[in-house]
Amino acid sequence: MARGERRRRGTPAEGARIAERVVRGGPARRGGAPRGAVGRAALGVVVLSLALGLSGFWLLAWHRARRAVTLHSAPSALPPDSSSPAVAPDLFWGTYRPHVYFGMKTRSPKPLLTGLMWAQQGATAGTPKLRHTCEQGDGVGPYGWEFHDGLSFGRQHIQDGALRLTTEFVKRPGGQHGGDWSWRVTVEPQASDTSALPLVSLFFYVVTDGKEVLVPEVGAKGQLKFISGHSSELGDFRFTLMPPTHPGDTAPKYSSYNVFWSSNPGLPLLTEMVKSRLRSWFQHRPPGASPERYLGLPGSLKWEDRGPSGQGQGQGQFLIQQVTLKVPFSVELVFESGSARAGERQALAQLAGSLLTQALESHAEAFRERFEKTFQLKKKGLSSEEQVLGQAALSGLLGGIGYFYGQGLVLADMGVEGSEQKVDPALFPPVPLFTAVPSRSFFPRGFLWDEGFHQLVVQRWDPRLTREALGHWLGLLNADGWIGREQVLGDEARARVPPEFLVQRAAHANPPTLLLPVAHMLEGGDPADFAFLRRAFPRLHAWFSWLYKSQAGPVPLSYRWRGRDPALPTLLNPKTLPSGLDDYPRASHPSASERHLDLRCWVALGARVLVRLAEQLGEAEAAAELGPLAASLEAEESLDELHWAPELGVFADFGNHTKAVQLKPRPPQGLVRVVGRPHPRLQYVDALGYVSLFPMLLRLLDPNSSRLGPLLDVLADSRHLWSPFGLRSLAASSPFYGQRNSEHDPPYWRGAVWLNVNYLALGALYHYGHLEGPHRARAAKLHSELRANVVGNVWRQYQATGFLWEQYSDRDGRGMGCRPFQGWTSLVLLAMAEDY
């Protein structure tokens, strides 16, 4: 809890009572003479002033609170109804539920959702493990997309114990509602031994949100022939679950069927509802084989009894078909849109069987060709295994794109940092968000500073997807120009977030990494990008203006992250979550005197990009406003004056700091921070690491700068930042290196290798290695060596584990943190392609 929230603030009624007490208890005039008209008038002025002051404060607070949850008035960066099937039919359906192993939905506030669950029957005593949502500790893996083009096709492999699942989808355009699509789910044994093939249940489901109508047609033994439906967005549609077959064959395979239909319990509760309804009295009886008992859903076939349940209350429906059979097998689910022209529909064969196989293979081959044309890994001499890694990196990122809709919780900025004011969070207006996610298992939602790095990769593959994502993020702008750093929109997203992270604070910023793909757009010359930037400019300008004004530091041209943790006795170094670098060491004693180097560099980069954009668009007023700021921030003398630490020989933060802090056991509290001598004082912060490199990372230094050499020295020194696996986040020589921040908070940005910053370093080294200057040859050599270290380690860990990881150990290179982490770790693809 922030320091300013811990004491209860006075209410307006209390303020009035305070003023009343002043009236009643005001001192007598000097000498004890009774109050006359003048005295009463004077007291009246005092009372009025107090009352007006208090009411004025509350009016200001109310105004700030309202602006925090009011959408910005600038026109949208995207066309009207940009997510609708009328405007973008090819993007309407997609795998936009990244937190489930396999599922699709529409880009709609009230979507039609589909998904897959599965369970291996009889594997262990008790209830089988029902797989549905991606989880860190469920034992599934590796898993991930082999191919995904972000639009119309994907193939994913999932290992689950003795099983190997392959989930595939392909879309076919047509009509006015997003066209058709088909799934194929193949389940095979991992081992070649087929003497004891497991019995497996697949659960295919459809969920509506209250406005769609579903009409199932049931055949014999609980098998759904098809599901007809209608909604205002989709028109008429039909689902057909095809009979299971042997993989690669057309002969049907014996299966047992169960159905279940109920009102929608809420998306976060789907898994538990299915678990709770499974019963053990069903038997799988293939001809000529012994029957096997399995857990199944005891569904009613009296659909007319079920249909009204919840439907008239806007609750929606949950319809699920369970298919149980022996592996190996394949099952196909076909969705057909009724809006295709009648003649076209009659001419088109159902996208199933051999036609589906042909479509999948055609898309896979087109993906491979487009991938090589875009990234040229084969041409650059990378091995076929490294090319597979690159394809998986891209596909995992594209397959992790989600569409979210909902209301976040926002705590307004009251304008006085650290004030003792109690303010309740308020709901932000309902907004959509089309975004990639850092991790399907651990962070399946939008993160602002991650998304800029995500879009650097997506942009090279499909610039249109990047415009869509950036336009949606800019649509989150509030009236002040603020965007929340973590977007928790909708029930499914909210269910996976700890309560303490649900509320976003309108005073807290995040690195403006969305400007990285904007800068790339400016260099590319794509007319569609330029048209987008013209529409987006008012919002980009408002966002950047809020950033540099709200995060201003104690002296001109200095900047300070708002929102550091308070100096609690259990924290070694209070974290700075808004910076994105979380527990990276800052000044030991947080204060308003801090100057944060990384933030100043982000603001300098932002000013440079916005000025260039304003000039290209002919936005003279904005260029005149930001031009002097950009020029001042580009001046190396100013950077030196505020952040060059002669005693450290590098750039650094500045603040109230001492190195004499450590965690020591103190029963019964556990580990407690102890501050020794020398006592904290205003000085440069000795925390050599990623922050120290930011003037170079963002290419703010002139190639002839006298400061570039020392930065290359510490970067290349294995005693500091260099490791065989990439650059460490914190120097091995730092007293904070590898240190936990509290008893229950292990090190995060205190030595581990992170791909996003290593990618920035590679881009900077490549940049300075191609410019005339005294460090050209050395920068080029370091680029080559660092690229080999980073790419080689990510590839080895992928070969060993099948995952891209959140971070990598600087000691042995092993993957750490959550997995799969196919957010910014997918930047390994651009490193392989040498595309910076």
Side-chain angles (χ1 to χ4, degrees):
M1 182 179 292
R3 183 166 43 203
E5 298 173 355
R6 289 164 61 178
R7 279 215 308 264
R8 183 174 175 271
R9 229 179 16 177
T11 65
E14 288 174 333
R17 285 195 294 271
I18 291 170
E20 185 179 359
R21 283 196 298 269
V22 171
V23 175
R24 291 180 176 175
R29 292 183 63 191
R30 195 177 186 89
R35 296 188 184 99
V38 175
R40 285 193 296 273
L43 281 171
V45 170
V46 172
V47 172
L48 182 61
S49 299
L50 284 169
L52 288 175
L54 289 166
S55 62
F57 169 78
W58 285 106
L59 282 172
L60 178 60
W62 178 84
H63 179 69
R64 287 179 178 273
R66 286 295 300 272
R67 289 182 64 82
V69 292
T70 299
L71 290 171
H72 201 278
S73 60
S76 171
L78 296 172
D81 301 318
S82 62
S83 295
S84 71
V87 176
D90 52 344
L91 286 174
F92 191 55
W93 276 104
T95 52
Y96 303 142
R97 304 178 66 205
H99 64 291
V100 300
Y101 285 111
F102 192 45
M104 290 176 66
K105 66 183 284 190
T106 55
R107 291 208 305 172
S108 169
K110 291 187 176 294
L112 183 66
L113 297 100
T114 59
L116 172 72
M117 305 180 194
W118 76 90
Q120 183 174 335
Q121 299 278 357
T124 58
T127 304
K129 294 177 180 178
L130 187 65
R131 312 301 198 186
H132 180 211
T133 57
C134 304
E135 305 291 344
Q136 280 284 107
D138 65 359
V140 176
Y143 62 91
W145 293 97
E146 176 188 8
F147 303 123
H148 199 302
D149 65 2
L151 186 69
S152 57
F153 155 74
R155 177 183 296 160
Q156 177 184 218
H157 300 292
I158 305 169
Q159 294 187 24
D160 181 14
L163 303 177
R164 174 183 169 88
L165 288 80
T166 301
T167 65
E168 302 170 279
F169 80 94
V170 68
K171 290 158 57 177
R172 181 169 63 183
Q176 293 82 46
H177 299 90
D180 302 342
W181 53 259
S182 295
W183 291 1
R184 176 179 289 162
V185 179
T186 302
V187 186
E188 300 171 296
Q190 288 273 28
S192 57
D193 179 16
T194 58
S195 59
L197 296 174
L199 189 66
V200 172
S201 290
L202 300 184
F203 303 81
F204 296 89
Y205 66 83
V206 181
V207 182
T208 74
D209 206 8
K211 294 195 174 180
E212 298 88 352
V213 176
L214 297 181
V215 182
E217 180 70 25
V218 185
K221 298 182 180 179
Q223 180 179 1
L224 287 173
K225 291 181 179 178
F226 54 83
I227 305 168
S228 297
H230 178 86
S231 75
S232 58
E233 286 188 312
L234 288 167
D236 295 327
F237 57 85
R238 173 180 286 194
F239 291 97
T240 306
L241 188 64
M242 311 300 289
T245 67
H246 287 272
D249 199 353
T250 57
K253 190 167 182 177
Y254 182 85
S255 309
S256 297
Y257 293 91
N258 300 73
V259 293
F260 180 71
W261 193 17
S262 81
S263 57
N264 178 4
L267 297 179
L269 301 176
L270 297 183
T271 307
E272 289 306 315
M273 171 174 266
V274 173
K275 281 183 181 179
S276 68
R277 300 302 175 102
L278 291 173
R279 299 294 182 265
S280 60
W281 55 69
F282 298 96
Q283 287 191 334
H284 180 66
R285 296 173 173 269
S290 300
E292 288 187 64
R293 189 176 294 276
Y294 71 93
L295 289 174
L297 292 168
S300 168
L301 300 184
K302 294 183 179 180
W303 302 102
E304 64 276 11
D305 295 341
R306 295 272 184 164
S309 175
Q311 190 173 341
Q313 305 161 22
Q315 193 172 347
Q317 301 174 69
F318 178 37
L319 175 59
I320 189 164
Q321 170 84 83
Q322 178 182 357
V323 186
T324 304
L325 67 161
K326 288 278 193 177
V327 299
F329 63 86
S330 291
V331 186
E332 296 171 2
L333 177 68
V334 180
F335 172 86
E336 295 171 289
S337 171
S339 69
R341 295 184 306 275
E344 181 182 298
R345 173 61 63 215
Q346 292 171 3
L348 288 175
Q350 195 172 47
L351 191 57
S354 59
L355 190 62
L356 177 57
T357 299
Q358 293 170 16
L360 290 168
E361 289 307 316
S362 174
H363 277 81
E365 183 57 32
F367 179 93
R368 294 186 191 98
E369 292 179 2
R370 179 181 171 190
F371 182 86
E372 176 57 26
K373 182 179 179 181
T374 304
F375 300 105
Q376 301 185 347
L377 300 191
K378 183 178 180 181
K379 183 178 179 181
K380 290 180 179 294
L382 279 86
S383 68
S384 58
E385 292 86 358
E386 289 171 316
Q387 294 172 49
V388 167
L389 167 63
Q391 292 172 355
L394 173 66
S395 298
L397 179 61
L398 295 172
I401 291 176
Y403 184 84
F404 306 90
Y405 185 87
Q407 294 180 269
L409 281 170
V410 176
L411 191 66
D413 172 18
M414 290 295 103
V416 183
E417 188 178 10
S419 63
E420 308 286 337
Q421 301 161 9
K422 178 176 173 56
V423 180
D424 292 326
L427 282 171
F428 203 69
V431 286
L433 180 60
F434 183 69
T435 183
V437 303
S439 171
R440 292 171 61 191
S441 63
F442 207 73
F443 299 114
R445 54 192 179 276
F447 285 78
L448 179 56
W449 97 292
D450 294 64
E451 189 64 6
F453 291 110
H454 299 163
Q455 293 306 321
L456 287 174
V457 181
V458 174
Q459 191 171 46
R460 270 66 168 186
W461 177 256
D462 191 340
R464 177 190 171 202
L465 290 178
T466 293
R467 294 192 292 270
E468 283 284 316
L470 294 185
H472 274 85
W473 274 98
L474 292 173
L476 304 177
L477 211 67
N478 80 354
D480 294 319
W482 167 83
I483 300 175
R485 64 187 182 90
E486 186 173 344
Q487 295 297 322
V488 188
L489 305 176
D491 291 342
E492 285 189 290
R494 191 174 296 114
R496 298 175 68 92
V497 179
E500 62 268 27
F501 294 110
L502 285 175
V503 178
Q504 300 300 299
R505 288 163 170 77
H508 297 182
N510 219 202
T513 59
L514 296 184
L515 296 177
L516 297 175
V518 167
H520 190 261
M521 288 180 178
L522 286 172
E523 297 168 1
D526 184 338
D529 281 347
F530 193 75
F532 168 79
L533 291 175
R534 183 174 292 282
R535 292 193 303 270
F537 181 78
R539 289 179 172 268
L540 287 168
H541 184 202
W543 179 44
F544 178 70
S545 295
W546 174 86
L547 175 71
Y548 84 82
K549 293 174 182 177
S550 69
Q551 308 296 299
V555 296
L557 300 178
S558 71
Y559 297 90
R560 176 174 64 87
W561 294 111
R562 304 308 196 263
R564 281 199 71 187
D565 285 348
L568 300 177
T570 56
L571 300 180
L572 178 63
N573 187 271
K575 290 193 286 191
T576 314
L577 294 177
S579 74
L581 302 178
D582 294 19
D583 68 344
Y584 188 97
R586 306 283 181 168
S588 61
H589 291 66
S591 72
S593 300
E594 287 181 70
R595 307 197 294 259
H596 293 138
L597 171 63
D598 53 331
L599 178 53
R600 187 191 193 278
C601 293
W602 283 121
V603 173
L605 174 71
R608 175 191 288 178
V609 172
L610 263 294
V611 167
R612 185 178 171 192
L613 177 56
E615 290 173 347
Q616 289 196 22
L617 294 174
E619 296 282 352
E621 186 176 338
E625 172 203 340
L626 297 176
L629 174 67
S632 298
L633 290 170
E634 296 269 2
E636 197 165 310
E637 303 78 33
S638 168
L639 180 64
D640 268 11
E641 180 182 349
L642 295 176
H643 288 287
W644 181 258
E647 65 273 26
L648 304 177
V650 290
F651 293 106
D653 281 352
F654 183 87
N656 191 26
H657 181 66
T658 177
K659 291 195 294 184
V661 292
Q662 55 184 313
L663 290 177
K664 288 187 175 182
R666 182 175 292 173
Q669 299 102 309
L671 292 179
V672 174
R673 180 166 101 151
V674 176
V675 181
R677 293 186 177 182
H679 295 307
R681 61 180 177 86
L682 290 177
Q683 61 179 315
Y684 289 106
V685 180
D686 185 3
L688 179 61
Y690 284 167
V691 166
S692 315
L693 301 179
F694 257 83
M696 184 196 76
L697 295 178
L698 299 186
R699 311 177 200 179
L700 301 174
L701 297 178
D702 186 274
N704 295 301
S705 170
S706 61
R707 305 308 188 196
L708 190 55
L711 294 188
L712 294 178
D713 288 342
V714 297
L715 179 152
D717 193 332
S718 60
R719 296 172 301 173
H720 299 311
L721 301 184
W722 190 269
S723 87
F725 316 107
L727 299 181
R728 298 182 178 97
S729 45
L730 191 65
S733 56
S734 170
F736 289 98
Y737 171 74
Q739 296 296 309
R740 58 191 316 111
N741 202 48
S742 72
E743 189 167 3
H744 306 291
D745 195 1
Y748 201 42
W749 292 84
R750 295 186 179 177
V753 174
W754 292 80
L755 257 291
N756 62 329
V757 179
N758 272 269
Y759 174 77
L760 292 178
L762 285 167
L765 292 171
Y766 187 89
H767 170 77
Y768 291 113
H770 284 78
L771 295 177
E772 288 296 334
H775 308 290
R776 179 176 182 176
R778 189 182 186 199
K781 180 174 181 292
L782 286 171
H783 167 265
S784 177
E785 293 172 353
L786 181 61
R787 176 175 173 267
N789 287 352
V790 170
V791 172
N793 186 63
V794 173
W795 178 77
R796 287 190 298 273
Q797 294 302 311
Y798 182 74
Q799 290 288 100
T801 67
F803 285 121
L804 296 184
W805 292 80
E806 183 181 15
Q807 54 181 199
Y808 294 87
S809 169
D810 64 305
R811 295 171 178 173
D812 56 18
R814 64 185 171 84
M816 303 192 304
C818 63
R819 85 292 179 276
F821 194 90
Q822 291 186 260
W824 63 40
T825 301
S826 297
L827 287 164
V828 68
L829 168 58
L830 298 189
M832 288 192 283
E834 295 182 282
D835 186 350
Y836 310 111

